[in-house]
Amino acid sequence: MLDELRELYQEVILDHGRSPRNFRRLAEPARHAHGQNPMCGDTLDVYLKIGADGTIEDVAFEGKGCAISMASASLMTETLKGRQITEAERMFDAFHRLCTEESFDAATAGVDEDALERLQVLAGVRAFPVRVKCATLAWHTMKAAIEGGAAVTTE
Amino acid sequence: MLASTSRTAMNDEGRHSVSFDVHRVREDFPILKRRIRGRPLVYLDSAASAQKPKAVLDAMQVAQETIYANVHRGVHTLSQEATDAFEAAREKLRAFINAASADEIIFVRGATEGINLVAATYGRKFLSAGDEIILSELEHHSNIVPWQLLQAEKGIVIKVAPIDDDGNFLLPAFEELLSPRTRLVAVTHVSNALGTVTPVRAIIEAAHRAGAKVLLDGCQAVPHMAVDMQALDVDFYAFSGHKMYGPTGIGVLYGKKELLATMPPYQGGGEMISTVTFAKSTFKEPPHRFEAGTPAIVEAIGLGAAADYLTALGREAVRAHEQALLAYASQRLSALPGLQIVGRAAEKAAIVSFVMEGVHAHDIGTILDRAGIAVRAGHHCAQPLMERLGLAATARASFGLYNTMEDVDALADALKIVREIFA
Ligand SMILES: Cc1ncc(COP(=O)(O)O)c(C=O)c1O
């Protein structure tokens, strides 16, 4: 029992959950979307500052939620800063697979493998299917912000 | 550890019943033998939905195997037997809540439908722009949203009776909200999120003095305590079968006969009409006027069996057992460092909501699940209440008649693991 739980609640996750990075709002004209998980009431706002060439110059978030959703949002902001939005969207897909597919192989995902490696700490949610939504909420919200959507829910 | 049987208790009739033997009672619930991830199930989510005793499961199966047919429409033997069983269930529910007449028992899908029925019939007919209704901060969404729909349609005014930080219903503040425009007071009897038992007698008396009707949401009351429609003098009372050890898809709306008689139908269809022509239809008397279409026949029979089951155990014996669980759980949990019980009302049903410093309720729920313990984590369909308390979510352990002191120990022990992981 404890092994699986320790796998889910790794030190990195607890650390990011406790002290999330880039936990702030970005002033206009940043892109923004609001995400929520109606089942548990978690809410998240993701902000992106995108340069003329499509580079994510800054990314931040604010919100309330469980350790998994906070850590995932925090790690996401660290991962995405400086990347192209097209790459961010590819990473969205890769991250989703990482959270759900037992046999997921980072090398075949077509995105920066090292970055994905850092997100590997969240793969523990695979053993906790109801918690996948917590891990992916920030990513869904980020995608909605890029696409210009205002709100997203994970149900 | 405390003994897991509560001592001799008085049953409803005031006679002494044998002591409530929880381990014997657990034998009645097949699902309690389940193991979750290799551990014995500790089911602490009865407020969301209670498990079913064999008596209920058997009653439903036997009905389907021996007397099943549609009700109120056949001349054949089976239809008559099914109708008799269905109406016998209505009588059981009447006795269960001591209504004056079985005609005051409307079978609905659950509390949600019961409340919507009152809003859509009584509300539409008798409430108009500027009329006021009073809810409380404790309400479940199902006793908020139907009134907001009516508000959008009719322009009624919704007032909200406050609670204090412990979750106590504030009677004086409620009384101040009553006005000559108050038509209806719709409040919960027991809070699903905090366990608060509201002072329903005083609420009803004050409302009636002001000329307002009262609807009680009894969802969380009926599993835990005896309720008496005539003694309460309440106008409407709604509850769900699945929270009182009965099946899903069935519940009861009680309404005073003279009120029901003035109300238009809820839905139109078969069963609820006297005559139909294309020019005009006439409707049956209550309760059938409000039961359009083929009802949940088997479920109603199952609910009747659930009422019998609770009555046979003794409502007071059940209450005493659960109060002992509540006291022990409150004591064990409040002794845990960093844990805070949310909802410390003077009178509570066996529901313990709590938060832990630095740990989100959702994470608590996941860790407890790995220990085989089922609790609910979230806003408990009471977002305005959570906002009032300044919380996003709580974890909630809700106890049923089959829970034991060992279950409480298992919960407390697993919460120590939560602490360790999040240390
Ligand atoms: C206090 C209260 N009211 C109403 C409801 C709604 O009951 P149901 O979903 O069975 O209609 C519930 C159950 O969730 C409840 O706890």
Side-chain angles (χ1 to χ4, degrees):
Chain A
M1 162 194 162
L2 271 178
D3 288 354
E4 243 173 1
L5 286 170
R6 296 239 182 253
E7 179 69 27
L8 179 65
Y9 293 109
Q10 296 184 35
E11 203 41 60
V12 183
I13 292 194
L14 295 178
D15 174 43
H16 278 260
R18 266 193 293 264
S19 25
R21 323 294 196 265
N22 301 307
F23 193 82
R24 58 196 154 88
R25 88 175 34 228
L26 296 185
E28 300 284 341
R31 295 203 203 175
H32 159 245
H34 177 75
Q36 84 179 48
N37 180 343
M39 189 188 83
C40 49
D42 288 0
T43 62
L44 210 62
D45 287 279
V46 172
Y47 304 90
L48 293 159
K49 186 160 169 261
I50 298 170
D53 63 349
T55 305
I56 298 173
E57 291 171 353
D58 201 2
V59 44
F61 81 104
E62 280 184 329
K64 267 195 292 206
C66 62
I68 307 297
S69 67
M70 289 296 105
S72 177
S74 173
L75 286 161
M76 178 187 81
T77 59
E78 287 194 334
T79 309
L80 293 184
K81 203 180 279 190
R83 291 182 197 276
Q84 291 288 311
I85 52 174
T86 47
E87 191 179 6
E89 287 179 325
R90 282 203 307 281
M91 291 204 73
F92 168 90
D93 292 327
F95 180 71
H96 203 274
R97 292 181 56 202
L98 178 150
C99 289
T100 51
E101 291 174 20
E102 208 56 60
S103 56
F104 176 70
D105 177 3
T108 64
V111 295
D112 180 346
E113 232 180 289
D114 290 342
L116 217 47
E117 197 51 48
R118 292 204 55 217
L119 299 175
Q120 193 67 33
V121 288
L122 284 154
V125 295
R126 280 180 209 153
F128 300 80
V130 292
R131 304 304 301 275
V132 170
K133 278 193 246 175
C134 306
T136 55
L137 178 61
W139 288 82
H140 280 285
T141 311
M142 176 277 295
K143 194 157 179 268
I146 287 179
E147 290 165 356
V152 59
T153 100
T154 54
E155 264 189 341
Chain B
M1 216 200 66
L2 300 182
S4 38
T5 45
S6 53
R7 297 290 154 237
T8 316
M10 307 281 275
N11 71 9
D12 295 349
E13 287 77 44
R15 279 183 279 113
H16 274 282
S17 63
V18 239
S19 75
F20 183 85
D21 181 354
V22 68
H23 293 289
R24 167 70 267 313
V25 166
R26 288 176 67 83
E27 296 294 315
D28 296 338
F29 292 82
I31 202 168
L32 297 180
K33 297 206 172 56
R34 254 213 71 170
R35 297 178 78 80
I36 302 292
R37 302 172 188 285
R39 287 158 191 273
L41 165 66
V42 176
Y43 190 72
L44 300 179
D45 198 19
S46 295
S49 203
Q51 300 299 347
K52 323 301 172 201
K54 208 132 177 12
V56 168
L57 304 174
D58 289 350
M60 294 171 74
Q61 184 162 358
V62 167
Q64 289 180 96
E65 288 177 353
T66 60
I67 56 134
Y68 182 77
N70 210 330
V71 292
H72 298 304
R73 22 185 109 161
V75 292
H76 58 76
T77 306
L78 273 187
S79 176
Q80 191 53 54
E81 288 179 6
T83 303
D84 289 347
F86 181 68
E87 292 303 326
R90 196 189 302 278
E91 168 56 26
K92 285 176 186 188
L93 271 300
R94 182 209 65 74
F96 184 70
I97 60 172
N98 194 33
S101 160
D103 293 342
E104 299 179 319
I105 305 296
I106 302 167
F107 282 127
V108 289
R109 273 192 299 137
T112 300
E113 188 177 44
I115 296 167
N116 275 280
L117 192 159
V118 176
T121 61
Y122 185 85
R124 276 216 190 109
K125 179 157 175 193
F126 294 109
L127 271 59
S128 44
D131 281 347
E132 298 169 3
I133 69 169
I134 301 177
L135 314 177
S136 87
E137 287 181 331
L138 293 168
E139 299 318 308
H140 187 278
H141 295 163
S142 62
N143 196 28
I144 299 173
V145 183
W147 306 113
Q148 291 174 331
L149 295 175
L150 189 67
Q151 181 179 43
E153 187 182 320
K154 291 279 186 179
I156 59 167
V157 176
I158 297 176
K159 294 182 171 180
V160 184
I163 55 168
D164 68 14
D165 293 342
D166 286 335
N168 287 296
F169 182 93
L170 295 171
L171 199 54
F174 160 72
E175 288 178 343
E176 276 176 30
L177 294 178
L178 287 164
S179 88
R181 292 301 305 260
T182 311
R183 293 283 170 273
L184 185 74
V185 174
V187 295
T188 195
H189 191 168
V190 172
S191 157
N192 66 306
L194 305 183
T196 306
V197 180
T198 56
V200 289
R201 273 172 193 273
I203 291 170
I204 293 165
E205 278 171 24
H208 284 173
R209 272 199 305 276
K213 304 292 183 215
V214 178
L215 176 146
L216 292 181
D217 174 353
C219 245
Q220 301 293 345
V222 288
H224 300 296
M225 60 181 81
V227 297
D228 184 327
M229 295 302 106
Q230 297 183 76
L232 283 176
D233 192 30
V234 67
D235 300 289
F236 298 105
Y237 198 93
F239 58 97
S240 298
H242 68 97
K243 296 188 199 274
M244 54 169 276
Y245 312 100
T248 51
I250 188 79
V252 167
L253 173 68
Y254 161 86
K256 274 185 187 163
K257 206 171 182 172
E258 59 270 26
L259 281 174
L260 295 181
T262 64
M263 286 156 52
Y266 176 45
Q267 295 175 328
E271 302 278 4
M272 53 77 72
I273 45 83
S274 294
T275 59
V276 176
T277 68
F278 278 110
K280 181 178 165 47
S281 297
T282 58
F283 309 121
K284 281 188 182 155
E285 293 299 309
H288 298 106
R289 183 188 301 167
F290 303 103
E291 295 177 356
T294 299
I297 302 165
V298 176
E299 288 74 13
I301 292 168
L303 182 55
D308 282 349
Y309 180 78
L310 277 166
T311 303
L313 282 182
R315 309 292 293 287
E316 186 48 35
V318 168
R319 204 188 70 86
H321 171 69
E322 291 181 353
Q323 286 294 313
L325 288 169
L326 174 65
Y328 185 52
S330 305
Q331 173 210 323
R332 288 271 344 234
L333 264 55
S334 51
L336 296 172
L339 186 147
Q340 192 199 334
I341 292 179
V342 181
R344 296 189 153 278
E347 202 189 333
K348 279 180 65 168
I351 290 172
V352 183
S353 253
F354 58 94
V355 291
M356 285 174 89
E357 208 181 307
V359 193
H360 190 274
H362 224 172
D363 296 310
I364 298 174
T366 289
I367 295 169
L368 294 184
D369 177 58
R370 291 287 138 151
I373 302 171
V375 297
R376 178 140 176 214
H379 52 58
H380 316 296
C381 299
Q383 284 181 0
L385 173 61
M386 291 292 129
E387 195 169 312
R388 159 67 181 83
L389 298 170
L391 299 168
T394 72
R396 178 189 71 184
S398 57
F399 297 87
L401 55 83
Y402 35 58
N403 289 119
T404 63
M405 300 296 178
E406 289 91 333
D407 290 345
V408 175
D409 289 328
L411 173 65
D413 291 347
L415 287 170
K416 287 186 193 150
I417 297 178
V418 175
R419 253 290 139 250
E420 278 165 31
I421 288 176
F422 276 82

